[in-house]
Amino acid sequence: MGIIKEQEQTIMNLMQSVADGKTIELAHTKAIEFAKLMSYYKCAMIEIEAKLNVLNVEYSLSFDRNPINSIKTRLKNPLSIKEKLERRNLPISIESIEENIYDVAGIRVVCSFQNDVYMLADALLKQDDIDLFEKKDYIANPKENGYRSLHLIVSVPIFLSNEKRPVKVEIQLRTIAMDCWASLEHQLRYKKNLAFSDDVSYELYRCAQLSEDLDLRMDNLRRQILNK
C-alpha cells in the first residue's frame, strides 16, 4: 500500500478529469486503480532487473568481467503519462495507458562494450517468458542527431496472488560512451529549454560520432587483449 499513499494526491489530481465532473469518490477510485497499475509496472521492472543481474553474474564467471556497468529503473510520472495521452489525442484512462503507453516502466542498461549490448539483449529475448513487442536498433541506425541505443519493448509476466499478468517494459541498452553522450545532450536540450542552432546541433552530432569512434576503438582493444 506504500505506493498508493505516496502517489495518491498526485494521481487524484490526474484522474479527477476521468471522473468528468461526477463524484470525488469516483476520482478516488480511479486514483487507486492507477496506483495499482503503477505497482504492476514496478513489479515488472523488478522481474527484468533480476533477469539482467543473473545474466551479469553468469557472464562474469564466463568472461571474468561484468558486461553490465549499471542498471537504472524509472516509472513514468502521472503528469508525463497524461501529457503523452493528450498529445496523441487518446482518452485518459487506465485502459488507455495499458494499451497505448509502452514506456511507463523503463530500464536503462549501461554496458561496457557494444558487443555486450547485443549479447545481453539476445540472451534476455531467448528466455521463454519474455515476449518481444518492439525493437528499435539505434546503434546500427542512429537517429539524425547522433543518438545511439538499442530499444526493446518486452512483455514479462508478473505473478499476483490470484493471476498471472503480462506487463510491458521498455529496455534501453547502451554503452558507457553512448550513455555519456545521451545524458549530456539531454541536459543541454531539456534543462536550458532552448532550440538548438544548426551549429550546436552539428557539434552535438560530431560528439556522437566521437563516442561511436570510442566504442569501436575500445572494442578493438578488447579483442586484441583477448587474442593475446
Side-chain angles (χ1 to χ4, degrees):
M1 296 293 291
I3 187 172
I4 294 176
K5 291 181 179 179
E6 291 172 8
Q7 295 186 344
E8 185 167 341
Q9 187 55 53
T10 304
I11 297 166
M12 277 284 290
N13 294 336
L14 167 65
M15 301 308 292
Q16 183 69 51
S17 58
V18 178
D20 194 27
K22 298 177 184 177
T23 65
I24 191 64
E25 288 80 9
L26 177 56
H28 183 268
T29 299
K30 293 296 183 181
I32 297 300
E33 290 177 4
F34 182 89
K36 188 179 294 185
L37 178 63
M38 292 301 101
S39 73
Y40 296 158
Y41 283 116
K42 184 176 181 180
C43 290
M45 289 193 302
I46 292 171
E47 290 283 345
I48 296 293
E49 186 174 10
K51 288 175 177 293
L52 290 167
N53 282 324
V54 168
L55 289 172
N56 194 40
V57 171
E58 178 188 354
Y59 286 132
S60 71
L61 296 172
S62 301
F63 304 117
D64 196 28
R65 66 177 182 84
N66 295 100
I68 297 177
N69 183 266
S70 66
I71 300 177
K72 295 180 180 178
T73 62
R74 70 102 182 95
L75 277 177
K76 210 172 191 66
N77 68 60
L79 181 59
S80 295
I81 294 172
K82 178 176 181 287
E83 289 174 346
K84 193 164 189 176
L85 290 171
E86 288 176 339
R87 285 197 304 272
R88 297 182 179 183
N89 294 316
L90 294 169
I92 300 173
S93 68
I94 303 301
E95 295 76 13
S96 183
I97 294 169
E98 287 193 272
E99 292 173 7
N100 300 297
I101 308 298
Y102 303 150
D103 62 344
V104 174
I107 297 181
R108 181 174 300 159
V109 186
V110 179
C111 299
S112 301
F113 298 97
Q114 187 168 300
N115 184 62
D116 295 334
V117 169
Y118 292 106
M119 180 177 68
L120 283 168
D122 289 343
L124 181 66
L125 294 176
K126 285 178 182 176
Q127 298 187 15
D128 58 12
D129 59 345
I130 295 290
D131 291 323
L132 178 64
F133 190 78
E134 184 177 278
K135 179 179 180 179
K136 293 183 179 179
D137 190 345
Y138 296 118
I139 299 175
N141 302 287
K143 290 186 177 182
E144 289 185 3
N145 66 346
Y147 174 85
R148 294 182 301 134
S149 187
L150 178 64
H151 289 199
L152 306 174
I153 305 293
V154 302
S155 177
V156 62
I158 61 170
F159 294 85
L160 305 171
S161 59
N162 57 357
E163 66 172 316
K164 180 175 74 171
R165 187 185 185 99
V167 181
K168 290 186 180 67
V169 178
E170 181 192 54
I171 308 171
Q172 297 179 0
L173 298 105
R174 57 179 66 161
T175 65
I176 297 171
M178 295 174 198
D179 188 59
C180 178
W181 181 91
S183 298
L184 294 174
E185 192 270 351
H186 178 81
Q187 287 190 38
L188 291 171
R189 183 177 295 277
Y190 293 100
K191 300 301 182 184
K192 300 302 181 183
N193 197 29
L194 296 171
F196 287 162
S197 67
D198 290 343
D199 287 343
V200 170
S201 296
Y202 177 73
E203 190 62 26
L204 279 169
Y205 178 74
R206 288 288 295 120
C207 289
Q209 289 182 315
L210 290 173
S211 74
E212 182 177 9
D213 184 58
L214 176 60
D215 275 334
L216 293 174
R217 288 174 178 269
M218 295 303 292
D219 273 336
N220 287 333
L221 286 170
R222 180 181 62 84
R223 283 193 292 269
Q224 289 178 31
I225 292 170
L226 291 177
N227 289 334
K228 287 185 177 180

